[in-house]
Amino acid sequence: MTTDHITVPPIEFHPFPPFIPPQAKLLIMGTFPPKKERWSMEFYYPNRINDFWRVMGKVFYDNPGRFINAAKKVFLLDDIRNFLTERGIALSDTGAQVQRLRDNASDKFLQIVEPVNLDGLLEEMPHCHVIATTGEKAAGVLAELTGSEAPAMGQSVVTEYSVGGKSPRRLTIFRMPSTSRAYPMSLDRKADFYRQLFEYAKLL
């Protein structure tokens, strides 16, 4: 779309529904998926060169390749879903509708048009009291939604958040390192931060 020779980026709608297993205790939130040509599966963190699923494999199985079919260069989606369900880990993103100000997956150039319906998510997760964001942009969006301060990387804040007009729920909100390869931190170091999160949430 163009207006007076100025290109207006299209609005993109989030392609995946939230993944909410029964008895979910932890919600992990990114910003928005990359463009479809970068996907190797139709699920969260689908880019082969994103380290999210390698970090999960390292933390829970001491095997970064646990969720990867190396021969086919794809993620093992059934194993991933089973793992999340068994552990009680929910996934969503903070952006429901976005515009890419540049033609890439960088959060820096991602404009949130409409944030996620956080109330709707948490109403489906009555046992969830811990939320973690995977990067600075997601942390900022979640801070705005909850009226809390965005924590420093690797840190957390505690806030009282009313869900659906009910009594406030005490939430601990962590900001985790981005699992993008562009983030200057080794996979092992990222895994150390995520291990602390899962230990706090009593999932390890």
Side-chain angles (χ1 to χ4, degrees):
M1 181 189 304
T2 59
T3 303
D4 297 331
H5 306 292
I6 298 174
T7 300
V8 178
I11 293 175
E12 297 182 39
F13 293 77
H14 202 291
F16 311 135
F19 182 82
I20 304 176
Q23 309 299 316
K25 296 179 180 178
L26 168 66
L27 171 61
I28 298 179
M29 307 185 78
T31 308
F32 201 81
K35 300 187 77 171
K36 192 168 185 177
E37 56 263 29
R38 295 179 178 271
W39 299 0
S40 65
M41 62 176 176
E42 293 191 4
F43 197 64
Y44 291 87
Y45 306 97
N47 192 336
R48 286 198 308 272
I49 63 170
N50 187 291
D51 280 332
F52 184 84
W53 297 113
R54 292 175 180 85
V55 168
M56 296 302 104
K58 174 69 175 176
V59 171
F60 285 92
Y61 301 97
D62 197 26
N63 176 10
R66 170 63 183 81
F67 297 113
I68 302 169
N69 182 324
K72 296 183 179 180
K73 297 182 179 180
V74 296
F75 293 113
L76 301 170
L77 181 52
D78 287 344
D79 287 2
I80 284 171
R81 287 178 175 273
N82 289 337
F83 157 73
L84 295 171
T85 299
E86 289 169 4
R87 298 286 177 168
I89 301 171
L91 297 180
S92 182
D93 279 325
T94 52
Q97 298 178 34
V98 305
Q99 288 175 303
R100 299 184 197 275
L101 303 183
R102 293 193 183 177
D103 193 28
N104 59 34
S106 171
D107 280 0
K108 183 178 180 181
F109 302 109
L110 200 65
Q111 179 170 307
I112 305 294
V113 176
E114 180 180 320
V116 69
N117 178 2
L118 183 63
D119 277 22
L121 282 176
L122 292 177
E123 282 183 339
E124 294 189 55
M125 292 181 282
H127 304 288
C128 178
H129 293 272
V130 184
I131 303 177
T133 59
T134 57
E136 183 177 7
K137 183 84 169 187
V141 176
L142 187 61
E144 290 182 9
L145 291 174
T146 58
S148 62
E149 293 292 324
M153 199 287 294
Q155 302 297 312
S156 65
V157 297
V158 177
T159 189
E160 299 286 335
Y161 182 73
S162 181
V163 179
K166 300 176 182 177
S167 298
R169 187 187 306 188
R170 188 178 179 86
L171 296 174
T172 302
I173 300 174
F174 284 81
R175 175 183 158 195
M176 308 308 295
S178 169
T179 53
S180 167
R181 295 278 178 90
Y183 191 78
M185 183 182 288
S186 70
L187 187 145
D188 284 350
R189 185 67 178 133
K190 290 178 185 181
D192 288 341
F193 279 104
Y194 279 85
R195 186 175 292 107
Q196 292 172 27
L197 165 69
F198 293 121
E199 288 174 347
Y200 178 88
K202 296 181 170 57
L203 299 180
L204 266 178

